[in-house]
């Protein structure tokens, strides 16, 4: 077989350059010793999974901590999965979480283009070289041929795929190949695998440690019939020429590792280090399963923006999943910037990371409680501008008023910060009662109408906006006494049946009447913030609704 002639017939010289050209065009990067070049290589499907952030954070930390480079490559070889605007979604959703690329798609960089579809020439040059070396060949098998092979293999319990005796086009004669070409039959280019599935090697995975890898024996497709490479082939060439040193990626790629090892070897490239991240799982009833794009809204990065989780909180939570010693560090240095944590691959989990939204909420509460009221204002406003209702957007018009609300709800100036806020959506909903437009009380009292009417009327007679906190409370006590409620808690506890209730029941009635809620921050301050007119209006409304 004249492989040179076949290579020229399939991929003419005018379409490609000599291989040395590419080596020169993409030289080794000039980086300090130990610096890692990492990447995120998503397909532009328009959907960003929590797993993308997980992998992105790991790669970003490793690159930046080592003085290296973190870049974005768009793996758009699968036309069917491509979605308009997907690259923007990648940038915006990751930027929200503070993950920024140094170079890559839609950014500048010397190692581009960073879209695989724009790199066809390099893939063709290397496919041509493999054909010349007799290590790749055209395959004319149709879908039906392949389907028949699959059926036969399934029936006979044989390893599926295109290999050995099933790799029919591997042994086509020169005449047969040219005849097929002349007949205009569509073809793909396949690797002529040199591997043997009986041979196993020990492989050092950066995350999983030593694993056993079986050699690849599949004649995988490297160029599809439209000349577009497969992911396997493209990624090997790209990681080589973009000078990637370390690939942290999802463990779903572990099964392809044998193919990748063979491809790098056959292409004469040095294999980067690989680390296969465990998948993110959740508890679903009795079982533990992978976080699913279809079933779980929290699998999508959009979810966190829509809910208004603070990016810092999500990042902190993700670090607890990513590095086993992170929580200990966080306890020791709760106020240090996250980037001061020394990230290490060796502390990454080897089996599934368990996603727990309650824990995220917990971390978020603490995170939000540490913000100032100004920071909280800005954060909530940004969320409301994008996702809030018109009424919620209007909360931000009177900044002074809102800052007072936030200071109260966050316990600023008090002994301890309150942890009422989890995310922007919930926070904005929580403060809804401070605004008449969203004040929609569902009064739920524990007393009868006559008692309530009397207490609310007595309080309205006694209330004076100018009273300080203690004068105000004296009046609440007076109203309690007028209505036979206990004000001395000791006496009340000794004889609870002797009273309709105690002073805190009276305070609760006033709280519900004013806010619609039985649980709020300090009621006197709420009334101060609401203002005299609004307090009376609310008490009247509550009385009228009895
Ligand atoms: N394009 C692959 C994906 O969508 C990337 C796999 C890798 O990182 O090597 O996940």
């Amino acid at each position: 077989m004249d492989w040179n002639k076949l290579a020229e017939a399939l991929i003419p010289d005018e379409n490609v350059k000599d291989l040395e050209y590419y080596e020169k065009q993409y030289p080794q990067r000039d980086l300090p010793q130990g610096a890692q070049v990492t990447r995120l290589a998503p397909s532009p499907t328009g959907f960003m999974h929590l797993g993308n952030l997980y992998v992105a954070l790991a790669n970003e930390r490793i690159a930046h901590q080592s003085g290296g480079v973190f870049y974005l490559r768009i793996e758009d070889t699968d036309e069917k999965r491509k979605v308009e605007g997907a690259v923007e979604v990648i940038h915006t959703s990751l930027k929200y979480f503070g993950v920024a690329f140094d170079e890559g798609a839609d950014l500048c960089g010397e190692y581009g283009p960073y879209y695989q579809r724009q790199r066809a020439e390099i893939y063709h040059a290397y496919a041509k070289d493999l054909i010349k070396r007799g290590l790749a060949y055209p395959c004319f098998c149709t879908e039906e041929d392949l389907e028949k092979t699959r059926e036969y293999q399934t029936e006979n319990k044989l390893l599926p795929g295109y290999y050995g005796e099933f790799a029919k086009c591997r042994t086509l004669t020169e005449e047969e190949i040219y005849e097929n070409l002349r007949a205009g039959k569509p073809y793909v280019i396949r690797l002529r695998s040199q591997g043997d599935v009986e041979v196993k090697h020990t492989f050092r995975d950066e995350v999983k440690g030593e694993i056993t890898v079986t050699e690849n024996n599949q004649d995988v497709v490297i160029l599809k019939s439209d000349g577009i490479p497969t992911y396997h082939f493209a990624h090997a060439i790209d990681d080589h020429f973009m000078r990637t040193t370390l690939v942290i990626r999802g463990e779903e790629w572990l099964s392809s590792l044998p193919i990748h090892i063979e491809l790098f070897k056959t292409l004469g490239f040095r294999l980067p280090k690989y680390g296969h991240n465990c998948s993110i799982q959740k508890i679903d009833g009795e079982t533990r399963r992978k976080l699913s794009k279809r079933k779980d809204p929290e699998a999508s990065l959009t979810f966190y923006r829509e809910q208004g989780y603070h990016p810092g909180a999500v990042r902190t939570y993700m670090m607890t999943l990513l590095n086993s010693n992170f929580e200990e560090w966080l306890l020791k240095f709760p106020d240090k910037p996250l980037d001061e944590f020394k990230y290490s691959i060796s502390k990454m989990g080897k089996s599934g990371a368990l996603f727990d939204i309650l824990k995220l909420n917990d971390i978020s509460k603490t995170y939000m409680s540490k913000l100032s009221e100004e920071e909280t204002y800005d954060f909530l406003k940004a969320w409301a501008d994008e996702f809030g209702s018109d009424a919620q957007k209007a909360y931000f018009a009177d900044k002074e008023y809102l800052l007072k609300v936030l200071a109260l709800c966050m316990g600023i100036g008090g002994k301890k910060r309150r942890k009422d806020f989890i995310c922007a959506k919930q926070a904005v909903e929580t403060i809804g009662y401070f605004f008449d437009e969203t004040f929609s009380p569902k009064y739920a009292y524990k007393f009868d109408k006559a008692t309530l009417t009397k207490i609310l009327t007595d309080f309205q007679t006694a209330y004076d906006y100018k009273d300080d906190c203690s004068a105000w409370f004296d009046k609440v006590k007076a109203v309690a006494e007028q209505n036979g409620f206990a004000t001395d808690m000791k006496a009340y506890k000794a004889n609870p049946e002797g009273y309709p209730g105690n002073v805190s029941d009276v305070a609760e009635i006033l709280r519900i009447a004013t806010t619609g809620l039985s649980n709020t921050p300090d009621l006197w301050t709420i009334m101060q913030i609401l203002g005299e007119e609004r307090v009376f209006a609310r008490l009247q409304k509550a009385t009228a609704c009895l």
Side-chain angles (χ1 to χ4, degrees):
M1 172 89 70
D2 184 345
W3 291 110
N4 280 326
K5 187 176 146 211
L6 180 63
E8 183 57 27
L10 296 176
I11 303 170
D13 261 350
E14 68 243 35
N15 294 347
V16 295
K17 298 189 184 68
D18 283 347
L19 302 188
E20 298 82 68
Y21 169 87
Y22 305 109
E23 287 291 347
K24 272 203 206 102
Q25 196 187 352
Y26 303 114
Q28 292 294 343
R29 292 171 184 265
D30 186 16
L31 291 171
Q33 182 89 21
Q36 303 293 333
V37 179
T38 66
R39 48 45 164 205
L40 189 72
S43 298
T45 60
F47 182 84
M48 285 298 275
H49 193 281
L50 189 64
N52 289 121
L53 176 63
Y54 189 66
V55 163
L57 275 170
N59 281 303
E60 185 269 343
R61 279 296 73 220
I62 292 162
H64 290 156
Q65 221 170 251
S66 64
V69 174
F70 174 51
Y71 72 87
L72 173 66
R73 182 171 73 228
I74 301 300
E75 307 214 316
D76 53 358
T77 54
D78 189 350
E79 187 68 24
K80 282 188 264 80
R81 297 178 67 206
K82 218 165 115 187
V83 163
E84 250 351 276
V87 178
E88 205 184 317
V89 173
I90 295 169
H91 278 293
T92 41
S93 45
L94 289 177
K95 212 171 180 186
Y96 180 75
F97 298 105
V99 181
F101 298 98
D102 304 305
E103 65 183 62
D106 294 3
L107 301 165
C108 47
E110 305 280 299
Y111 290 81
Y114 296 91
Y115 286 81
Q116 288 185 323
R117 281 189 166 255
Q118 295 170 18
R119 300 171 65 80
E121 185 194 302
I122 317 180
Y123 308 133
H124 290 175
Y126 273 86
K128 178 167 189 172
D129 185 61
L130 293 185
I131 301 167
K132 276 191 194 167
R133 290 159 58 204
L135 293 170
Y137 62 90
C139 165
F140 300 90
C141 285
T142 60
E143 254 321 302
E144 294 79 70
D145 296 334
L146 298 176
E147 185 53 41
K148 259 190 225 143
T149 308
R150 252 194 304 271
E151 274 166 21
Y152 178 85
Q153 287 166 337
T154 317
E155 262 164 41
N156 293 282
K157 298 198 169 50
L158 293 165
L159 201 70
Y162 204 83
Y163 62 93
E165 62 187 287
F166 302 109
K168 296 205 186 74
C169 294
R170 192 179 166 117
T171 50
L172 288 182
T173 63
E174 204 160 0
E175 291 72 47
E176 286 168 324
I177 292 177
Y178 284 105
E179 206 172 292
N180 283 336
L181 289 177
R182 266 195 302 277
K185 282 197 186 167
Y187 63 89
V188 299
I189 305 289
R190 286 186 185 271
L191 172 77
R192 184 184 297 276
S193 171
Q194 307 297 305
D196 177 352
V197 274
E198 298 304 321
V199 181
K200 297 187 189 312
H201 298 282
T202 303
F203 181 84
R204 221 202 100 69
D205 184 278
E206 296 299 308
V207 175
K208 297 199 181 294
E210 290 206 340
I211 54 172
T212 303
V213 174
T214 306
E215 272 190 10
N216 169 57
N217 72 337
Q218 300 277 336
D219 284 3
V220 289
V221 176
I222 57 173
L223 289 188
K224 296 184 262 188
S225 55
D226 54 2
I228 300 294
T230 53
Y231 156 71
H232 302 305
F233 191 55
H235 110 279
I237 291 176
D238 293 343
D239 277 334
H240 173 71
F241 283 114
M242 294 177 181
R243 306 299 176 185
T244 312
T245 61
L246 171 69
V247 174
I248 300 285
R249 62 181 179 185
E251 66 185 352
E252 65 275 19
W253 296 105
L254 204 50
S255 57
S256 308
L257 187 60
I259 301 172
H260 300 163
I261 293 174
E262 182 171 16
L263 277 170
F264 272 88
K265 196 169 150 208
T266 311
L267 288 162
F269 299 156
R270 188 174 159 184
L271 194 70
K273 287 179 278 177
Y274 280 98
H276 291 88
N277 231 352
C278 52
S279 56
I280 305 181
Q281 306 183 333
K282 73 180 269 186
I283 302 276
D284 186 0
E286 302 280 283
T287 55
R288 199 173 153 145
R289 63 162 173 82
K290 252 170 103 170
L291 205 59
S292 138
K293 171 177 167 179
R294 245 178 340 101
K295 291 191 217 152
D296 309 311
E298 70 271 30
S300 162
L301 286 188
T302 316
F303 170 83
Y304 302 91
R305 277 186 53 222
E306 282 172 1
Q307 295 291 314
Y309 277 96
H310 197 289
V314 177
R315 227 182 127 113
T316 307
Y317 176 62
M318 291 308 278
M319 289 303 273
T320 68
L321 291 183
L322 274 162
N323 252 196
S324 57
N325 56 333
F326 174 74
E327 276 191 85
E328 205 182 298
W329 179 88
L330 187 65
L331 272 175
K332 244 201 233 156
F333 309 108
D335 297 316
K336 273 199 180 181
L338 282 193
D339 287 355
E340 285 187 27
F341 170 70
K342 183 140 181 32
Y343 190 85
S344 68
I345 311 184
S346 62
K347 294 286 194 292
M348 286 172 77
K350 293 185 188 359
S351 52
L354 191 62
F355 177 82
D356 177 1
I357 198 140
L358 296 179
K359 188 159 174 189
L360 167 64
N361 287 348
D362 230 45
I363 286 179
S364 296
K365 278 185 196 168
T366 304
Y367 195 94
M368 295 289 284
S369 76
K370 287 185 183 170
L371 301 179
S372 69
E373 62 264 54
E374 279 277 353
E375 285 167 327
T376 307
Y377 175 90
D378 291 342
F379 177 63
L380 300 186
K381 183 173 186 314
W383 176 85
D385 284 346
E386 198 172 352
F387 301 105
S389 65
D390 287 344
Q392 289 174 331
K393 285 189 179 85
Y395 295 177
F396 298 84
D398 185 347
K399 183 167 178 182
E400 208 185 312
Y401 182 76
L402 189 47
L403 286 180
K404 278 191 226 156
V405 172
L406 295 178
L408 171 67
C409 295
M410 296 170 73
I412 288 172
K415 278 196 216 89
K416 233 172 124 197
R417 284 286 176 96
R418 297 177 65 93
K419 294 188 176 180
D420 292 10
F421 297 160
I422 300 170
C423 55
K425 184 169 191 282
Q426 169 268 349
V428 169
E429 280 164 9
T430 302
I431 59 172
Y433 66 85
F434 280 97
F435 304 89
D436 288 340
E437 231 182 288
T438 44
F439 175 60
S440 53
K442 288 182 194 64
Y443 304 112
Y445 306 101
K446 289 185 268 182
F447 295 90
D448 61 46
K449 186 176 168 178
T451 312
L452 293 167
T453 314
K454 180 79 177 19
I455 286 177
L456 290 177
T457 319
D458 288 352
F459 182 76
Q460 284 174 76
T461 313
Y463 182 67
D464 183 345
Y465 181 75
K466 289 187 281 310
D467 284 342
D468 66 10
C469 184
S470 88
W472 175 86
F473 191 59
D474 285 344
K475 287 192 175 161
V476 175
K477 272 207 247 171
V479 171
E481 260 161 24
Q482 279 164 36
N483 288 277
F485 282 63
T487 49
D488 175 349
M489 288 310 277
K490 246 199 207 149
Y492 176 73
K493 275 188 192 139
N495 178 24
E497 267 79 55
Y499 306 87
N502 63 54
V503 67
S504 58
D505 292 316
V506 174
E508 184 180 282
I509 293 168
L510 298 174
R511 190 183 305 278
I512 295 174
T514 313
T515 66
L517 303 165
S518 56
N519 194 358
T520 69
D522 178 62
L523 184 57
W524 174 77
T525 317
I526 291 176
M527 290 185 171
Q528 287 295 301
I529 294 174
L530 286 172
E532 185 171 12
E533 209 178 300
R534 222 193 248 125
V535 170
F536 278 116
R538 295 217 173 166
L539 293 171
Q540 277 156 21
K541 178 179 167 132
T543 317
C545 287
L546 287 172

